[in-house]
Amino acid sequence: MRTDQDAPWWRAAVVYQVYPRSFADSDGDGVGDLAGIREHLDHLEWLGVDALWLSPFQPSPMDDNGYDISDYRAVDPIYGTLDDFDALVADAHDRGIRIVLDLVANHTSDEHPWFRQSRSASDHPRRDWYWWRRPRDGHVPGQHGAEPTNWGSFFSGSAWAWDPTSDEYYLHLFSPKQPDLNWENPAVRQAIHDVARWWLRRGVDGFRMDVINLVSKDPALPDGVVRPGEEYGDLGRSVVDGPRVHEYLAEFRREVFGDRTDVVLLVGEAPGTGLEEARRYTHPDRRELDMVFHFEHVNVDRGEFKWDLRPFSVPALRRVLATWQVGLADCWNALYWDNHDQPRVVSRFGDVTRFRDASAKALATVLHLQRGTPFVFQGDEIGMANYPFTTIEDFDDIESVNHYRRSVALGVAPEDVLVSLRAMSRDNGRTPMQWDDGPQAGFTRGRPWRPVNPDHVDVNVAAQREVPGSVLHHYRDLIRLRHEEPVVVEGTFSLLAAEHDHLFAFTREHGDTTLVVVANLSSGRVGLPDDVREACEGAALVLGERAAGVLDPWESRVLRRTRAPEGAT
Ligand code: TEU
C-alpha cells in the first residue's frame, strides 16, 4: 500500500536480503540456489516484504563467495541458469515483490576476461581498466617494500599484488583475486553502465552497489598512515569517498536511468562514510543514490580496528542512530542491523542466552520504526544467532581466515584471535537459513556447504509460524504497520529519554498522528522516565503486550495517538 502516490515505492518498502548460498538448496548439492529462493516466495510474501536484495549469483571463482564476479551477464551454474533467474523475477513480481541486485563494480574477479586481457600485456587496450603501477624505486620488485604504496588490504596483507610477467603491481582493496577497476577510465564506467542496463532490461528493480564509495581513488596514490601495531598503511584517506565519486554516481544515474519513467532503487554500501558525505550521496536534488548503508552503528562495539572488541552500550548505539535520523531528515536512511558481513544482531546487541525472543523483537522494533527503509537479513526474522565456533577450522570466510593467519604470524595468541572471530566473523551471518527442525534445518537434503546452527531445532521458521507473538510474527506485524501507517514512512523523528542508559525511545509524527516507540534494551526492569510517560498518555497500544509503568527486560511497545481536529472538544 502506498502512502503517497507520488513517493517512490522504496520509501514505504521493507527489503529482505537473500544470501543465495545459504538461503535454500533445491537440488541437494548443499549450496543454496535460485530455484530454492523461488520455492520460498510463500514465506516472503507471508512476511510481507516488498523487495528482495539478492547477493551476487553471477559466475565466480568464489574466492569471496561471489563478490568476485567473472561474468556480469550470467548465472553461476551452482545457482542455476538465466532461465531460473527470469522465472524468479516473474514469480516475485506476480506476488508484488521487487528484485534488487548486488552490483559489484569496484572490482571484478581476476578471472574476468577484462582482467585477463588487462594483465596479458602492458600495451593491451584494456591495461588501463585496472590500477597497474611500477614497483617502488630502490626495492626489489615483488618483495615486501616494493609495493607502489604502503596500503593494507581489507582482507589483510598488502593491497597490491605483484605480476612477474609485466613487472608491475595491480591494486586490490580486497582479495588479490578481486582487482580494482579503474573508474578514471570512461570505458570502464560505460561497461558498468551497460551491465546495469542489461539487468534492468531483464526486469530488475534496483541495485545495491557494493562498496560504491570506494570506486574513486586519489590518483596520486599517496602512502597511508601506519597506525601503531600495524604492518600496513591506512588506505582510507585515498579511497573512501574519493575525489570523483559523486561525479561518477550522478553519471551512473543519468546514463542508466535517464530515460526510464519507473522508479528504481539505488542503495549504496558505504563503509567509512560519515553523515556529511552521506547527505551528498543521498540528497534528492543531487540525484546520486537513494540511500546508503553506513557503518557507524555497527562499529559501536569495536575499537579502532574491526577485530578489537568493545562492550556495547545503548547510549553509544542510540547516539549514532539518532544523529543519522536527524541528519538525514531531508534525505533518506537505509536501516539495518546485520547482513552477510556482520554477526547476528541478537547475539551482538541482544541477550541471546536469557531473553532471546524478547531482545530480537525489541531490536527489530527500534530498527523498523525509524525513518528510512529497513533491510531484513535472512534469518533475522526468526532471531537467528551467531554460530558456536570452536576452532579456526570452523571458519571459511576469507577475511576471517586471513586475519587469523596474519595475527598469529605476528605473535598474537591464537585463542585471543578466536575470541574476536567468534564475535565478529562474517561466517556468523552465513550459516544456512533455518526453515524447520529437521535434518539440516530444511535447508538442503544434501550436505550443507556450511554447518547448520545446532539451535535450529528450536529456532526455525516452521515453529514460529505457529506461534503468534513469536519473533517471526513480530517482524510481520512491524512490516504491516509500515504499510498501513503513513506515520511510519513519513513521520519526523524525535528522541525521548535521550540520556537513559537502557532505553531507546522516540516519537514519529506525521499530520495528526504520533507514534511512540519505547524499547528496553537491557536485561533488567526499567521504569518509564517522565518524558516517555507523557508521550504515552492518551495513546493506544498498537504493538506490544501492555502499557504498565515499568518495562520488563527487553520489552518493547508501540503506541499511537491522533490529535483531535482543531475546535473539537
Ligand atoms: O563489503 C565491504 C566491506 O567494507 C565490509 O563489510 C567487508 O565485508 C569487510 O568486513 C571489511 O572489514 C562488501 C561486501 O558486502 C562483502 O561481502 C565483500 O567481501 C566486499 O564488499 C568486497 O566485495
Side-chain angles (χ1 to χ4, degrees), residues 53 61 77 112 145 170 172 183 205 320 337 364 397 415 435 441 446 492 496 563 567:
W53 147 28
H112 193 292
Y170 66 87
H172 60 89
W183 279 56
D205 304 286
V320 169
W337 282 135
D397 162 42
E415 187 47 42
W435 295 106
T492 53
L496 294 170
R563 208 174 346 147

Side-chain angles (χ1 to χ4, degrees), residues 362-378:
L363 289 162
T365 303
V366 295
L367 188 81
H368 279 246
L369 299 181
Q370 289 178 53
R371 189 166 180 282
T373 300
F375 286 73
V376 177
F377 180 53
Q378 64 185 43

Side-chain angles (χ1 to χ4, degrees), residues 42-90:
D42 272 347
H43 169 69
L44 300 165
E45 188 180 4
W46 179 87
L47 191 58
V49 297
D50 303 275
L52 306 184
W53 147 28
L54 307 179
S55 278
F57 51 77
Q58 288 84 354
S60 165
M62 302 289 170
D63 193 52
D64 186 20
N65 285 351
Y67 282 88
D68 47 326
I69 292 176
S70 53
D71 180 355
Y72 283 104
R73 292 178 175 81
V75 173
D76 194 286
I78 203 156
Y79 297 126
T81 62
L82 274 174
D83 286 344
D84 291 324
F85 177 78
D86 293 340
L88 172 60
V89 173

Side-chain angles (χ1 to χ4, degrees), residues 64 67 104 107 154-155 174 178 208 210-211 269 271 295 306 340-342 399 426 430:
D64 186 20
Y67 282 88
V104 186
H107 45 268
F154 286 106
F155 290 165
F174 296 90
Q178 293 167 299
R208 175 267 189 189
D210 191 59
V211 289
E269 188 205 24
F295 283 60
K306 164 166 181 162
H340 65 291
D341 295 332
Q342 299 291 334
E399 181 189 41
R426 309 195 299 179
R430 301 177 178 188

Side-chain angles (χ1 to χ4, degrees), residues 284-299:
D285 293 347
R286 296 176 56 96
R287 303 203 41 77
E288 296 182 21
L289 299 172
D290 297 313
M291 57 188 92
V292 295
F293 294 122
H294 73 83
F295 283 60
E296 290 193 351
H297 65 304
V298 290
N299 287 335

Side-chain angles (χ1 to χ4, degrees), residues 361-362 364-365 469-479 543 556:
K361 285 158 67 172
T365 303
S470 62
V471 178
L472 181 60
H473 277 263
H474 188 70
Y475 267 84
R476 186 176 189 234
D477 292 344
L478 287 168
I479 294 167
L543 270 185
S556 58

